[in-house]
Amino acid sequence: MRITSIITVNYRQASLTADFLRSLMHYVGEERVEVIVVDNGAMEDNGAFFRKVFPSVVYLRSEKNLGFAGGNNLGVRHAKGEYLLFLNNDTEITGGFIQTLCDELDRNPDMGLLSPLILYYENKRKVQYAGYTPMNYLTGRNRGIGAMDDDDGQYDGITTETGYCHGAAMMCRRSELAKVGLMEEHFFLYYEELDWSEKFRRAGLKIGFTGKAKIYHKESMSVGKESPLKTYFMVRNRWLFIRRNAIWPIAMAFSCYYLLVAMPVLMVRHLAKGRFDLMGATWRGVKWNIGHSTTSRDLGIKLRDV
């Protein structure tokens, strides 16, 4: 019988991760699963606390904050399952979730990475993710399919190719990582799953979405508070993603658009709000790309408080 390794990253949210583990305990049933919690930037050992909720959990503590990609990669290196299921610790699964994802990968051997229908936990009829459109490499933009629509069953029974998977919930086969590789850790936050989707595509595999499985995400439906940290990585990684994945003439065209149009507009918006901290973060994100290669491991900021 196949084994699925479920990998989640905890970053100073032990209570939230405990709720996630309770969700797994309720729904995994007879499934053969290995649950791995990567305790990222852990100031204390939470292993005993998590084992009270899920006794067989594999607990990996990293005193260094490895970011989303680094934390998940650490979990992959310790995983034993044939299937790897990456779940955010602020999600709750539903009945038959794991079995369905495995079955869909089995039915679609050319599909390398697969995400389910993601609904908002605070309103379980509202769609957060039902796939992504392809990226416009000239603007560095794409859009979410079905975002904020009501879930009226329109995605039930659908498994289809899509632009990108969603980092909150995605599954792949362990056997294919030898040719695909792990997530790129220098993204640290944001865009890493989009970049990983491109790596799967370059390996000749499709990116998939299925509405046959659904999960609830506790991410707020409202726009989150802007912070210098988020602004920095969004600005930095949007350009980094294009530099890594577009052919050079398109990447050059995007760079001109980004520097001459997108960034000045963003700076004016921050200025209008009096957010000089966000203006500084934006400039640092731009400056990083000017001075670093696409493989540089220098994040460009100190992560003392991250």
Side-chain angles (χ1 to χ4, degrees):
M1 180 182 285
R2 61 194 175 194
I3 298 175
T4 300
S5 293
I6 302 173
I7 300 170
T8 195
V9 177
N10 175 68
Y11 179 69
R12 302 178 187 177
Q13 296 174 309
S15 295
L16 188 64
T17 300
D19 289 340
F20 167 80
L21 293 174
R22 291 186 187 99
S23 167
L24 294 183
M25 284 291 291
H26 182 73
Y27 285 111
V28 292
E30 298 300 317
E31 295 277 357
R32 292 191 66 193
V33 299
E34 171 192 54
V35 178
I36 299 173
V37 172
V38 179
D39 207 355
N40 213 5
M43 302 180 72
E44 58 185 12
D45 192 310
N46 292 299
F49 175 70
F50 293 141
R51 290 187 190 98
K52 287 181 180 179
V53 180
F54 203 106
S56 63
V57 70
V58 178
Y59 176 74
L60 304 175
R61 180 185 178 191
S62 172
E63 294 185 7
K64 179 182 178 182
N65 184 359
L66 303 174
F68 177 82
N72 278 300
N73 286 348
L74 177 60
V76 170
R77 293 185 181 101
H78 288 80
K80 298 182 175 68
E82 301 148 73
Y83 300 85
L84 303 177
L85 175 58
F86 302 87
L87 294 176
N88 275 16
N89 69 329
D90 61 350
T91 59
E92 289 196 3
I93 69 170
T94 55
F97 178 79
I98 300 168
Q99 179 75 42
T100 300
L101 289 179
C102 292
D103 288 346
E104 289 309 298
L105 280 183
D106 288 347
R107 291 191 189 101
N108 298 275
D110 59 345
M111 200 166 278
L113 197 60
L114 179 67
S115 280
L117 177 66
I118 302 178
L119 305 172
Y120 285 103
Y121 181 83
E122 63 182 274
N123 184 342
K124 294 182 173 61
R125 289 198 66 233
K126 286 293 182 184
V127 174
Q128 180 183 18
Y129 168 89
Y132 280 129
T133 62
M135 182 69 68
N136 181 333
Y137 284 103
L138 290 173
T139 64
R141 295 293 189 191
N142 69 326
R143 64 176 181 84
I145 297 170
M148 298 306 296
D149 287 349
D150 287 336
D151 177 26
D152 293 320
Q154 66 270 41
Y155 300 108
D156 293 356
I158 294 176
T159 297
T160 185
E161 188 175 1
T162 193
Y164 301 94
C165 277
H166 195 293
M170 52 189 180
M171 177 181 275
C172 68
R173 305 174 191 86
R174 181 184 179 86
S175 61
E176 290 171 341
L177 293 187
K179 60 179 179 179
V180 174
L182 299 177
M183 283 183 253
E184 294 298 324
E185 297 184 10
H186 58 305
F187 278 90
F188 195 81
L189 289 173
Y190 308 118
Y191 282 88
E192 54 274 286
E193 74 270 36
L194 275 66
D195 183 80
W196 208 30
S197 294
E198 293 289 7
K199 290 177 72 171
F200 272 89
R201 196 172 282 117
R202 286 195 293 271
L205 297 163
K206 295 179 180 179
I207 308 304
F209 159 77
T210 183
K212 298 179 183 180
K214 64 179 65 175
I215 195 168
Y216 301 117
H217 193 192
K218 296 179 181 178
E219 186 171 83
S220 175
M221 292 168 60
S222 60
V223 177
K225 182 180 179 181
E226 293 178 308
S227 70
L229 180 74
K230 180 177 180 179
T231 298
Y232 170 76
F233 278 114
M234 289 295 285
V235 168
R236 170 189 182 272
N237 291 350
R238 181 179 168 195
W239 195 0
L240 175 60
F241 172 84
I242 298 297
R243 291 172 64 204
R244 280 179 50 83
N245 293 288
I247 59 175
W248 75 264
I250 300 298
M252 286 294 294
F254 170 82
S255 298
C256 293
Y257 161 79
Y258 205 50
L259 290 170
L260 300 177
V261 179
M263 289 302 98
V265 169
L266 187 59
M267 284 288 202
V268 169
R269 287 177 180 170
H270 293 329
L271 180 61
K273 297 176 183 178
R275 294 298 304 270
F276 300 105
D277 56 340
L278 300 186
M279 292 179 69
T282 298
W283 165 242
R284 288 192 295 274
V286 170
K287 183 179 177 182
W288 185 93
N289 278 279
I290 294 173
H292 292 81
S293 73
T294 59
T295 58
S296 174
R297 299 295 169 180
D298 176 14
L299 297 181
I301 59 172
K302 295 182 179 179
L303 298 170
R304 292 186 297 267
D305 302 317
V306 181

